[in-house]
Amino acid sequence: MRLALPFAISVTISASLAACGAATDAPCTLTAIGAQCVSDTDCCSGYCQLYDVAAYCQAKPKNTQACVGASAFCTQDRNCCSGLCENGSCFAGGGAASCLSVGSTCIAADSCCTNDCINDGQGHQACAEQPQSDGGSCGLPGTACTAPGEADPTCCFGVCGSNSFCIGGGGGGGGQNCGQSGAFCRYGSDCCTGQCEQLSSTSACH
């Protein structure tokens, strides 16, 4: 009987740790409900919920918390309707002094300079060109275009690839060729983050 007790404790601890770690891909560090957090991955419950000017680990609900608007306090991108949390504040979107350029990743239309956020055909949302004046639809990635290697407003994300097909929006350039935060950009695909922010006199990777 004395040998069975440590084994039982070991099994219980192992099971608890396994359950904790299974909540997210990254190891969680906060096991207690109510612990202050920044990101969902901090919490073993897998859910970090905003309350006023802080966030706390909570049991994950079936439907996650509604997003908060421009300039509201946030700890992670998920908190913001614009999809961008920077320096503890939600990105203001197209109605303020800056907005996301064509091709940048987005989750809300008013984050885009064009006020148009659509599915890019690759499982992401991206800022698209404004609808054409003749009422025609823009070309998603893979649609034939007539200005290879150049800007092309007939493509939803503003670029006709060198192979004469429209190319994609968000998701970042990847590899060695993408721009880091602050680098000059024309499209979201120029940036490693997939987000090109239009500023008052230029545009830069966000």
Side-chain angles (χ1 to χ4, degrees):
M1 296 299 290
R2 290 183 181 178
L3 293 175
L5 184 58
F7 177 75
I9 291 171
S10 174
V11 169
T12 302
I13 291 171
S14 296
S16 297
L17 291 175
C20 170
T24 62
D25 291 335
C28 57
T29 57
L30 303 174
T31 58
I33 297 297
Q36 194 162 342
C37 54
V38 171
S39 172
D40 290 337
T41 57
D42 294 341
C43 304
C44 293
S45 65
Y47 192 66
C48 180
Q49 185 171 345
L50 285 180
Y51 286 104
D52 296 325
V53 292
Y56 304 91
C57 293
Q58 298 293 316
K60 191 169 186 176
K62 290 181 180 178
N63 298 313
T64 56
Q65 175 188 3
C67 57
V68 294
S71 303
F73 173 75
C74 58
T75 63
Q76 57 188 321
D77 290 346
R78 178 183 65 74
N79 301 146
C80 304
C81 298
S82 68
L84 294 172
C85 175
E86 187 173 74
N87 299 323
S89 180
C90 288
F91 177 68
S98 61
C99 54
L100 294 176
S101 296
V102 168
S104 293
T105 54
C106 58
I107 62 169
D110 65 1
S111 295
C112 302
C113 300
T114 59
N115 279 314
D116 197 9
C117 177
I118 67 169
N119 190 303
D120 68 359
Q122 302 169 45
H124 304 98
Q125 295 281 110
C127 295
E129 290 280 359
Q130 290 178 325
Q132 297 177 36
S133 56
D134 64 2
S137 59
C138 60
L140 286 169
T143 304
C145 51
T146 57
E150 297 179 20
D152 187 345
T154 65
C155 295
C156 295
F157 306 110
V159 184
C160 182
S162 58
N163 61 356
S164 296
F165 290 98
C166 294
I167 58 176
Q176 301 296 318
N177 300 320
C178 58
Q180 301 295 323
S181 179
F184 173 77
C185 57
R186 289 172 53 195
Y187 306 102
S189 56
D190 294 336
C191 304
C192 299
T193 60
Q195 295 161 344
C196 179
E197 183 178 351
Q198 187 73 45
L199 306 172
S200 57
S201 60
T202 187
S203 54
C205 292
H206 183 79

